[in-house]
Amino acid sequence: AKVLLTRDGDRTLTLADRVRFANEQHADLFLSIHANASPTKEQSGFETFVVDAKAGALATASHGQLAQGENGAEDGAQANNMLRALAMQASRSKALTFAGAIQQHHAKLFPGRNNRGVREGNFDVLLGAQMPAVLTEVGFLDHVEESKILIS
């Protein structure tokens, strides 16, 4: 595997810039790694997200409406919408497989930690990716025990 990082130092990069980079590189897979936080500071565990199926369908449909308005060719736009929907579903299926593997690996490495599972989310970083994309939350920065793990 060839790994491309969006940054290699402590600097801010917007979510849109991260996705744009992956799309420009024609990446086969997109992994966005995050550390979580909670208002109660009592939540713990790791979780991995894939794009919400409904949100992905809406994003695909709205993209198709733009294409239809620009091209004026209703039948071509409808075919493009169908192709985009099929590609999105295939991409989401691959993302689900990858997300499951991430969760299994975390559970194996950290058997005492809370496995919050694979979930759906409407994160911009997932909606904008043109490849299978997952967002993983590796733990809670504000949890007493997990913060120690994350710092180490």
Side-chain angles (χ1 to χ4, degrees):
K2 180 179 177 183
V3 177
L4 301 173
L5 300 175
T6 57
R7 60 185 183 258
D8 59 4
D10 187 14
R11 65 183 177 93
T12 301
L13 190 64
T14 68
L15 295 175
D17 287 339
R18 297 173 202 184
V19 175
R20 186 174 14 266
F21 175 78
N23 289 340
E24 288 172 355
Q25 298 300 314
H26 304 287
D28 295 319
L29 185 65
F30 182 79
L31 172 62
S32 190
I33 304 170
H34 299 257
N36 219 334
S38 74
T40 64
K41 300 184 182 196
E42 294 176 9
Q43 291 189 49
S44 65
F46 51 91
E47 59 195 336
T48 304
F49 291 88
V50 297
V51 70
D52 178 276
K54 291 177 186 173
L58 287 173
T60 299
S62 67
H63 182 76
Q65 288 173 354
L66 290 173
Q68 182 178 353
E70 292 168 358
N71 297 332
E74 193 170 320
D75 55 345
Q78 190 174 24
N80 284 337
N81 287 349
M82 291 173 63
L83 291 172
R84 278 190 205 93
L86 287 171
M88 193 268 313
Q89 184 57 37
S91 182
R92 187 174 181 280
S93 177
K94 290 177 184 177
L96 280 166
T97 299
F98 186 51
I102 289 171
Q103 285 302 112
Q104 287 178 359
H105 188 71
H106 278 274
K108 185 177 176 182
L109 288 176
F110 305 103
R113 292 185 56 217
N114 183 21
N115 183 344
R116 297 167 61 101
V118 173
R119 303 170 70 181
E120 294 182 331
N122 297 334
F123 300 105
D124 289 340
V125 73
L126 297 177
L127 288 170
Q130 297 172 354
M131 70 286 300
V134 301
L135 181 152
T136 189
E137 297 278 3
V138 296
F140 283 78
L141 287 170
D142 54 4
H143 186 271
V144 174
E145 295 302 317
E146 283 194 353
S147 63
K148 293 175 187 172
I149 294 169
L150 293 172
I151 290 170
S152 71

